[in-house]
Every structure is written in structure tokens, then in C-alpha cells.
Amino acid sequence: MANRTQLRTVSNEGGTLDLQHTSTDSPILPAGNLEQLNQIDPSLVAFVVEQTKLEAEHRRRIQKRTNLYVFTERISGVVAVALVALFGLGAGAYAIVSGHDVAGATFAV
């Protein structure tokens, strides 16, 4: 799907400025652009297709690595919280066994 943005401004002196931008989420250039490239040089189409394949593979590799890092970060956070909670419960239990009921209950909470 192509997104098109067009801007037009007119200065006080009457001059105009037109800007156009088109972006697409397609993994390859639109057919019209490939046809124009083919008219210029047929080898350019093969080059664009090959570079698109390489870019897609790279993007997938980066996405996979990013997903792994996010997963590792979240799991390590859960493990860290579990260790802190277990340490608090253990310190509270030790304080209660040692005769410090109020301090032990405070640690355990």
C-alpha cells in the first residue's frame, strides 16, 4: 500500500513550492518503476530484485536478534524479581526464627 504526501505552499510574493513524497510497505519497487528501470538498463531490474532479497534477509535477521534481546531482558527481569522476593522472604523468616517478630514480618511483606 502506497502512502502519498503532498504539500503546497505559496509565499507572500506569489511563489509556490510543491513537495511530494510516496512511500510503500511493499518489499519491492512497484511494477511501473521496475518497467522504467528495464527501459534504462535490463540488468538494473535483476540488481534491484537481488538487493531487495538481501535487504529482506538482513531485516529478518535483525528482527530475530531484537526479539531475542527483548525476550532475554524480560526473562532476566522476572528472574531478578524472583530472587529479590525470595531473599526478602528468607530474611523475614530468619528474623522471625531469631526472635524478631516485627522485623521479620516487615521483611517478609
Side-chain angles (χ1 to χ4, degrees), residues 17-58:
L17 176 66
D18 292 325
L19 297 172
Q20 297 179 358
H21 176 73
T22 303
S23 64
T24 180
D25 58 356
S26 173
I28 196 163
L29 289 174
N33 292 1
L34 289 175
E35 184 179 344
Q36 289 175 348
L37 279 176
N38 192 29
Q39 291 173 357
I40 295 170
D41 185 2
S43 66
L44 288 177
V45 174
F47 175 76
V48 167
V49 170
E50 182 61 30
Q51 291 301 312
T52 302
K53 287 179 185 176
L54 292 174
E55 190 272 335
E57 290 170 5
H58 175 71

Side-chain angles (χ1 to χ4, degrees), residues 74-97:
R74 291 184 180 173
I75 292 299
S76 63
V78 169
V79 169
V81 166
L83 290 175
V84 168
L86 287 174
F87 177 76
L89 289 173
Y94 178 75
I96 290 172
V97 169

